[in-house]
């Protein structure tokens, strides 16, 4: 209870209360501008079939977009509400392109709808802000105003009274003026909460009508994930090409030269030297095969052929940190999901081994019906972030987004570190173990 009382007494002095008051007051001039824009839009849209009126309507809609941008700036500066700028299609050339660009713009028409709905809301906001803040402060200062210039009133019988009268009770003395000050103090204490009420509705309208629509946000996310997937595939192909060129290819060239030398030794009748070269070549072949296996494992781990749990167990066994694995799935996810989870776990374990100074780690995979979740945790020093310079988690998060997933890092200073990756739970493949039992 004490905490709530302290917060109520402190709230009128916060920067948030001042910013919301300023937003409510500055909203009235914008409301008048919005009213003019709405009236002009409605008037011109009634006759927009005319060739002369259509360009004027297009210009008015362009102005509506500018007013909407001003609302977004005001909301970002005073309400700390970051509203993304809605995307627009490219404009075509000519008068027809100009008209289509503006008249068929859903963002401008949604802005007009916001103006029409928010005009009475702005009036309520300004009225509440003025009454509770301005009038409340005037009442708080009533004892001071009394000392500067007492007020005088004359009743119907000609008697003169001093102060404010409430029926038969008059605030006609300076000590009684503190009662008015107490009422003003209550109004000021209630002002942030009263003004904040309409702002919740205004925030909702701002996000829904002046921000990008859900479909446009989804399209933008798909475009971004597609770009990330293309870039990731290109990087993978370049890495494979580089590994083959600098590794296996170079070693195969050296192997061919060594075999040529062995053949030359045989032709010269030096079987012992030829035998030594052949033995070196055989050892080289084994090393090249191992290198190619590692390269193939980087494309698709063979351990995944036996399922995700077996692959993660193999990964944990190779980790330099003692790692436990727990997989609770009713079947097998799709191949792309399994591969993503495996490589994500591998990268997270590698990061933990390099930076966390952890003594133990864990890998967990579970599904709650709609979401497939991978959790990698360690008891290290923490400090892993998605935004830090050189953060490897940022690249992993972008790759996770290609499957409509998300990555969350919980890594306070001192640890522990818990990295959670959520992927949409698509149709599971049948469990081969259960099928064999049945």
């Amino acid at each position: 209870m004490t905490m709530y009382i302290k917060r109520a007494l402190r709230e009128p002095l916060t920067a948030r209360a001042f910013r919301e008051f300023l937003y409510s007051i500055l909203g009235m001039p914008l409301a008048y501008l919005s009213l003019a824009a709405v009236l002009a839009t409605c008037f011109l849209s009634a006759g927009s079939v005319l060739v002369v009126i259509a360009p004027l309507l297009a210009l008015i809609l362009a102005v509506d977009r500018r007013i909407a941008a001003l609302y977004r700036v005001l909301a970002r500066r005073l309400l700390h509400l970051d509203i993304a700028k809605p995307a627009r299609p490219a404009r075509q050339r000519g008068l027809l392109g100009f008209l289509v660009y503006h008249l068929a713009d859903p963002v401008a028409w949604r802005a007009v709808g916001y103006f029409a709905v928010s005009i009475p809301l702005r009036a309520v906001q300004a009225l509440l802000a003025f009454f509770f803040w301005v009038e409340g402060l005037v009442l708080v200062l009533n004892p001071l105003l009394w000392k500067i210039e007492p007020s005088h009133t004359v009743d119907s019988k000609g008697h003169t009274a001093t102060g404010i009268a409430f029926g038969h009770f008059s605030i006609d003395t300076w000590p009684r003026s503190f009662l008015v000050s107490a009422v003003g103090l209550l109004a000021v204490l209630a002002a942030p909460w009263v003004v904040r009420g309409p702002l919740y509705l205004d925030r909702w309208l701002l996000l829904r009508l002046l921000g990008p629509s859900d479909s446009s946000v989804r399209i933008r996310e798909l475009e971004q994930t597609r770009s990330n997937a293309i870039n990731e595939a290109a990087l993978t192909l370049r890495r494979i090409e580089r590994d083959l060129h600098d590794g296996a290819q170079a070693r195969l060239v050296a192997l061919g030269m060594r075999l040529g030398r062995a053949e030359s030794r045989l032709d010269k009748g030096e079987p012992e030297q030829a035998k030594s070269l052949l033995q070196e070549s055989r050892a080289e072949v084994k090393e090249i095969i191992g290198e190619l296996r590692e390269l193939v494992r980087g494309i698709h781990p063979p351990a995944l052929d036996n399922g995700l749990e077996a692959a993660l167990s193999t990964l944990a066994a190779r980790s330099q940190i003692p790692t436990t694995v727990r997989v609770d799935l009713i079947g097998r996810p799709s191949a792309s999901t399994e591969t993503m989870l495996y490589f994500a776990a591998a990268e997270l374990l590698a990061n933990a081994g390099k930076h966390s100074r952890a003594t133990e780690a864990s890998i967990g995979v579970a599904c709650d019906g709609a979401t497939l979740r991978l959790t990698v945790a360690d008891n290290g020093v923490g400090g892993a972030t998605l935004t830090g310079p050189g953060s490897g988690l940022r690249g992993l998060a972008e790759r996770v987004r290609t499957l409509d997933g998300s990555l969350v890092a919980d890594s306070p200073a001192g640890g522990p570190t818990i990295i959670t990756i959520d992927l949409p739970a698509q149709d599971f493949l049948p469990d081969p173990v259960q099928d064999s039992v049945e």
Side-chain angles (χ1 to χ4, degrees):
M1 181 62 69
T2 305
M3 179 182 65
Y4 292 110
I5 294 176
K6 289 182 178 179
R7 183 182 178 187
L9 295 176
R10 188 173 58 247
E11 192 65 26
L13 304 177
T14 60
R16 178 184 177 183
F18 174 75
R19 286 187 282 101
E20 290 175 344
F21 164 75
L22 194 60
Y23 177 84
S24 300
I25 296 299
L26 293 179
M28 276 310 296
L30 277 179
Y32 291 125
L33 185 61
S34 302
L35 178 61
V38 170
L39 293 177
T41 304
C42 294
F43 175 77
L44 293 176
S45 61
S48 59
V49 294
L50 299 179
V51 178
V52 178
I53 297 180
L56 295 177
L57 178 59
L59 291 175
I60 293 295
L61 289 173
V63 172
D64 292 339
R65 283 188 62 95
R66 300 297 185 275
I67 299 175
L70 187 58
Y71 272 110
R72 287 193 294 269
V73 172
L74 200 62
R76 182 170 60 253
R77 298 290 178 84
L78 298 180
L79 299 182
H80 288 180
L81 183 64
D82 193 8
I83 305 174
K85 181 180 179 181
R88 301 184 71 181
R91 175 184 166 181
Q92 302 298 323
R93 295 182 178 180
L95 178 59
L96 182 60
F98 171 79
L99 295 178
V100 173
Y101 184 69
H102 291 286
L103 296 179
D105 183 13
V107 177
W109 288 106
R110 285 194 289 118
V112 174
Y114 172 77
F115 299 156
V117 175
S118 66
I119 290 171
L121 187 61
R122 296 288 175 188
V124 172
Q125 290 175 356
L127 182 62
L128 292 176
F130 180 83
F131 180 80
F132 279 88
W133 277 111
V134 179
E135 292 295 332
L137 289 174
V138 170
L139 294 179
V140 169
L141 298 176
N142 185 261
L144 178 61
L145 299 176
W146 182 286
K147 285 294 186 180
I148 295 175
E149 184 179 0
S151 58
H152 300 278
T153 59
V154 180
D155 59 15
S156 59
K157 297 181 179 180
H159 299 148
T160 301
T162 303
I164 303 174
F166 298 95
H168 297 289
F169 182 78
S170 299
I171 308 299
D172 53 2
T173 62
W174 185 70
R176 288 188 177 184
S177 65
F178 284 95
L179 296 176
V180 178
S181 181
V183 174
L185 181 60
L186 291 177
V188 171
L189 291 176
W193 313 101
V194 175
V195 172
R196 197 166 295 164
L199 288 180
Y200 285 114
L201 177 58
D202 195 15
R203 286 171 177 267
W204 186 85
L205 291 173
L206 284 167
L207 290 172
R208 295 301 182 275
L209 297 178
L210 297 189
S213 62
D214 294 339
S215 59
S216 63
V217 170
R218 180 59 177 165
I219 291 173
R220 186 178 301 178
E221 290 178 352
L222 291 175
E223 291 176 346
Q224 184 64 37
T225 54
R226 182 188 63 180
S227 176
N228 292 337
I230 293 174
N231 293 335
E232 183 68 19
L235 289 174
T236 302
L237 289 175
R238 283 197 294 269
R239 177 181 60 82
I240 295 173
E241 180 183 6
R242 184 179 63 252
D243 292 344
L244 287 174
H245 182 272
D246 299 340
Q249 180 178 336
R251 301 188 71 171
L252 286 173
V253 171
L255 176 62
M257 295 175 64
R258 187 179 291 111
L259 290 174
R261 289 167 54 195
E263 183 181 5
S264 177
R265 294 296 182 182
L266 287 175
D267 292 339
K268 292 180 180 180
E270 300 175 352
E272 292 299 327
Q273 290 82 352
K275 181 179 179 181
S276 177
L277 290 173
L278 290 175
Q279 289 175 346
E280 293 177 4
S281 299
R282 184 173 61 181
E284 184 76 11
V285 168
K286 291 181 180 180
E287 293 179 1
I288 294 175
I289 292 174
E291 186 175 332
L292 290 175
R293 284 176 177 173
E294 289 296 326
L295 181 61
V296 171
R297 186 178 291 112
I299 301 173
H300 178 77
L304 278 176
D305 295 338
N306 298 323
L308 185 61
E309 184 173 5
L312 293 178
S313 298
T314 303
L315 186 65
R318 295 176 179 174
S319 175
Q320 58 182 337
I321 304 174
T323 305
T324 59
V325 176
R326 179 181 177 84
V327 177
D328 185 14
L329 298 176
I330 59 175
R332 293 191 60 176
S334 62
S336 59
T337 301
E338 278 191 338
T339 304
M340 173 64 73
L341 293 178
Y342 175 85
F343 282 115
E347 184 171 341
L348 293 174
L349 278 183
N351 290 341
K354 292 178 181 178
H355 310 294
S356 71
R357 288 180 281 175
T359 58
E360 61 181 19
S362 64
I363 302 175
V365 181
C367 181
D368 63 359
T371 303
L372 186 62
R373 172 166 294 181
L374 167 69
T375 304
V376 179
D378 65 71
N379 62 346
V381 296
T385 62
L386 290 171
T387 58
S391 175
L393 292 179
R394 181 167 54 189
L396 179 58
E398 291 179 355
R399 294 195 297 273
V400 168
R401 286 180 57 193
T402 60
L403 292 182
D404 289 339
S406 62
L407 186 148
V408 177
D410 182 11
S411 182
T417 296
I418 302 175
I419 308 297
T420 303
I421 295 177
D422 289 338
L423 296 175
Q426 301 173 353
D427 295 336
F428 281 85
L429 300 176
D431 192 337
V433 176
Q434 293 180 357
D435 289 350
S436 62
V437 173
E438 294 177 357

